[in-house]
Amino acid sequence: MKDVLGREIKDLSEELWWTVKRKEIEWYPTINYEKCIGCGICFITCGGKKVFDWDIEKNRPIVARPFNCMVGCTTCKTLCPVDAILFPDKTFIRKLIKELNILQKAKERIEKAVSAQNG
Ligand code: SF4
Ligand code: SF4
């Protein structure tokens, strides 16, 4: 399956994010169509994950694959020239980090990699 730019589309919703299925984490953009001017920057920029499709008739992006969105990423929101993209507050991410004990897991992962390199 390809989007209107001819890019391959994959469903990443079953992949794991720190042991949790991505589709169980409510982190993704929503578009305020009252503000959106249809510039396409969000659609084109999210080229790796392909969260957006393009509605040809309305000339606007659609959040077609919300669970492809990288947890914690807000690039499209930052780039949107008219602030038409919304995300949950970062407290959502902080809570998730705590609940999944991610600080500890990250520490352990780096220590393991470093110790493997040091022999
Ligand atoms: S936040 Fe990042 S991964 Fe998610 S839709 Fe925007 S650009 Fe794509
Ligand atoms: S970057 Fe913003 S204005 Fe441009 S298409 Fe996306 S949501 Fe609409």
Side-chain angles (χ1 to χ4, degrees):
M1 197 175 152
K2 292 185 178 176
D3 68 13
V4 297
L5 295 178
R7 303 176 302 184
E8 285 290 342
I9 293 170
K10 282 186 187 162
D11 174 14
L12 306 175
S13 64
E14 293 288 333
E15 294 200 353
L16 294 181
W17 189 82
W18 293 97
T19 70
V20 177
K21 275 199 180 167
R22 180 60 191 88
K23 67 181 182 185
E24 290 168 18
I25 302 171
E26 299 285 323
W27 179 271
Y28 46 77
T30 50
I31 299 168
N32 179 346
Y33 288 107
E34 302 281 316
K35 287 186 170 183
C36 175
I37 56 171
C39 71
I41 291 175
C42 58
F43 169 61
I44 294 168
T45 303
C46 188
K49 301 291 185 183
K50 296 179 196 73
V51 169
F52 302 97
D53 273 345
W54 192 255
D55 184 329
I56 295 170
E57 280 180 18
K58 293 182 180 161
N59 211 31
R60 293 286 184 275
I62 305 161
V63 180
R65 286 162 293 279
F67 299 111
N68 274 22
C69 182
M70 189 185 300
V71 177
C73 183
T74 54
T75 300
C76 52
K77 172 181 156 71
T78 306
L79 294 176
C80 177
V82 292
D83 292 327
I85 299 182
L86 305 167
F87 272 90
D89 190 84
K90 73 177 174 191
T91 55
F92 176 91
I93 295 290
R94 296 283 156 83
K95 193 165 168 271
L96 207 56
I97 287 172
K98 202 171 175 185
E99 281 171 4
L100 299 176
N101 198 21
I102 288 173
L103 287 181
Q104 184 61 28
K105 285 176 185 159
K107 186 169 175 261
E108 284 168 10
R109 203 141 129 193
I110 290 170
E111 281 173 357
K112 199 173 162 193
V114 169
S115 109
Q117 282 207 9
N118 290 337

